Amino acid sequence: MTDAKPPAAATTAVLPDLGFLATSGTADLQDRLAGQLSDLTVLQEHTELLTRARGLAGTLATVLASGAALLGARRGLITTTARGAGRPVGLGLDRAELGALETVPAEHGPFAGLLSHPDGAGQLLITDLAEDPAAGPRFREVAGQLGLGACFALPLATPEDGPLGAAAWFYDEPAEPAPGRRLLAHRYCEFAAQLLARQLDQERAERQAEALRRGLLPDRLPVGAGLRMAARCLPAALDRSAGSDWYDAIPLPDGTFGLTVGSVAGDGLGAGPGSAPGAAAAMGRVRAALRAYAVLEGEDPVSVLGDLELLLKTTEPARTATALYAWVQPEERRITLAGAGHCPPVLVTRQGAEFVETSLSAPLGMLSCWEAPGVEVEAGPGDVLVLYTEGLARRCGPTLHAGQNALRRAAADAPREVRADPDRLCAHLLAAAGADGGTDDLVLLAARFD
């Protein structure tokens, strides 16, 4: 691939009006057709790579890599105009080099003028960064430090959204990419901008949804004599999740606590990922109701869950929920709990870790009437009660049952100093769960008796 010609005068130009892949009229027709076919094949290969990219970060990285291959460049930089999309992404540039490029004023930097055109028109071509005064003194200084000889940049824009960002590629020596290659890169960026627009919309929606879901959960855990608590919540992405999990620690008027975890599922049996936003809103309503029931009759977990099921059937008839509620008396180190179709909690002791077996029962809203007996357990000094949702167990093993056993073993194997700190124990159990990316929310609540 011959992508560069000898340096020409440095320019900041508008994209030339070239016929797509046009060549000299004196060129042989067969050679022209072969060249056009070759370029189209290359362009198709790179657009296919782009369509397989996962997430915003993957899309940006692919745009940089494909653009570099099309233009014969070695390094690159891409930025977006969207807030919250993160810092600029680099190709062949480490964090310090990216930071140095960020110090270049916008009007003279590698994206000069490209982010302000509403129609995304234009390009930036500086064939000699050391000599062209249009680069500006700071850009020339940074280019010299990083060994950048030339720069070619294109906007990323759509007619509907306007400028979304820009991509710049750098050459180690003064150079000018061939017009045909510049045109290929331009066509590629037009295609990439459409995908980038969708990725930015999705990222924005996910950030908003995650903020909403986190806002429906406690911003801090209560502090009480004889009990220390810690929690973790990792919501699944809305395009993969079909429900929404909660946790709560409720200080009761008599100095005791109500601890609960649970999950609200979609819009009925078989609900899919599209139901996740509605499930998150329903989770907030269910959790708020449970807090009220806990204050009124928190010493009776069966009554609390029974009232919750009646509310669910009355106000959320298309939804179901699994739930666990524990009434904890810190001074007596006594735990009274009941569960509705939920994973059994784990009690971590000096001897190891064991399940606190609740009776088998259906989730709330599944049967004509929910009913289950309560269970009472006495803990010892230093014991930790671990409540969790199904998402954590499923990340610990190939099946729910295997995952629960793996979680119990991980709790039992935790070093003594880890078990002494509920926050460290939460971190230990999350590490045992392995990589994230599951299809369920992950919720974990640990309470240690002093």
Side-chain angles (χ1 to χ4, degrees):
M1 180 182 298
T2 57
D3 296 323
K5 298 195 300 186
T11 61
T12 301
V14 175
L15 186 72
D17 183 15
L18 301 172
F20 184 66
L21 303 173
T23 58
S24 170
T26 61
D28 180 80
L29 177 59
Q30 187 174 0
D31 290 341
R32 280 191 289 146
L33 292 176
Q36 291 176 2
L37 180 60
S38 174
D39 285 339
L40 286 171
T41 301
V42 170
L43 187 60
Q44 182 180 5
E45 290 174 352
H46 286 288
T47 55
E48 287 179 352
L49 287 174
L50 188 59
T51 59
R52 294 198 293 269
R54 299 293 299 272
L56 179 60
T59 298
L60 297 178
T62 304
V63 169
L64 276 179
S66 289
L70 290 170
L71 295 165
R74 192 172 67 86
R75 289 179 281 182
L77 176 67
I78 194 169
T79 189
T80 68
T81 59
R83 291 184 178 181
R87 293 184 57 189
V89 177
L91 172 69
L93 298 168
D94 60 28
R95 182 174 298 181
E97 291 169 330
L98 282 173
L101 284 167
E102 287 185 273
T103 67
V104 178
E107 62 272 18
H108 297 298
F111 309 123
L114 297 181
L115 299 176
S116 58
H117 291 292
D119 58 355
Q123 67 178 27
L124 178 71
L125 174 60
I126 304 178
T127 59
D128 191 343
L129 285 169
E131 300 295 335
D132 190 347
R138 179 56 183 165
F139 195 8
R140 291 199 301 272
E141 178 185 356
V142 171
Q145 294 171 353
L146 304 185
L148 306 179
C151 171
F152 178 70
L154 289 170
L156 295 163
T158 69
E160 300 80 12
D161 303 285
L164 300 170
W169 292 273
F170 304 108
Y171 299 88
D172 296 342
E173 302 292 338
E176 179 182 354
R181 288 291 158 173
R182 299 206 300 267
L183 191 55
L184 274 180
H186 182 80
R187 298 289 188 237
Y188 175 79
C189 285
E190 287 179 340
F191 178 83
Q194 298 291 335
L195 291 182
L196 180 60
R198 292 196 290 271
Q199 289 286 354
L200 289 171
D201 286 343
Q202 183 177 350
E203 289 274 326
R204 189 180 304 111
E206 289 183 357
R207 288 196 303 270
Q208 292 171 347
E210 183 173 344
L212 169 65
R213 294 162 90 180
R214 290 188 181 278
L216 294 171
L217 296 173
D219 55 358
R220 54 184 165 72
L221 293 171
V223 177
L227 197 67
R228 288 187 291 140
M229 290 177 277
R232 294 290 190 277
C233 175
L234 299 178
L238 288 184
D239 61 341
R240 299 194 300 269
S241 174
S244 189
D245 294 2
W246 80 78
Y247 73 90
D248 209 346
I250 308 155
L252 301 178
D254 59 358
T256 61
F257 292 89
L259 307 184
T260 177
V261 295
S263 177
V264 173
D267 296 312
L269 292 176
S275 63
M283 177 271 287
R285 295 190 292 269
V286 168
R287 173 179 165 263
L290 193 149
R291 289 178 69 89
Y293 298 145
V295 171
L296 293 174
E297 48 192 6
E299 72 283 356
D300 186 353
V302 173
S303 294
V304 170
L305 293 186
D307 289 344
L308 192 64
E309 197 219 18
L310 180 60
L311 174 85
L312 198 69
K313 282 187 173 181
T314 304
T315 63
E316 311 279 351
R319 304 186 192 279
T320 62
T322 66
L324 186 74
Y325 177 80
W327 179 49
V328 177
Q329 300 168 271
E331 292 185 2
E332 294 83 359
R333 292 191 290 275
R334 185 176 294 117
I335 307 162
T336 307
L337 56 89
H342 202 81
C343 299
V346 173
L347 185 64
V348 186
T349 68
R350 294 178 181 177
Q351 290 74 38
E354 297 296 334
F355 291 118
V356 179
E357 294 293 350
T358 57
S359 61
L360 294 175
S361 63
L364 303 177
M366 289 283 288
L367 302 179
S368 58
C369 180
W370 175 84
E371 186 175 351
V375 177
E376 188 171 299
V377 178
E378 288 193 10
D383 290 356
V384 185
L385 180 67
V386 178
L387 283 64
Y388 58 95
T389 56
E390 190 173 299
L392 178 62
R394 289 198 179 278
R395 294 193 202 184
C396 289
T399 65
L400 177 60
H401 181 71
Q404 290 174 348
N405 282 314
L407 181 65
R408 181 191 60 79
R409 289 194 298 270
D413 294 340
R416 180 182 301 176
E417 63 273 14
V418 171
R419 285 177 288 159
D421 183 344
D423 191 70
R424 292 183 64 184
L425 181 61
C426 284
H428 172 80
L429 296 178
L430 283 184
D436 61 5
T439 58
D440 297 309
D441 291 357
L442 185 157
V443 161
L444 174 64
L445 176 62
R448 184 182 189 275
F449 293 89
D450 292 332

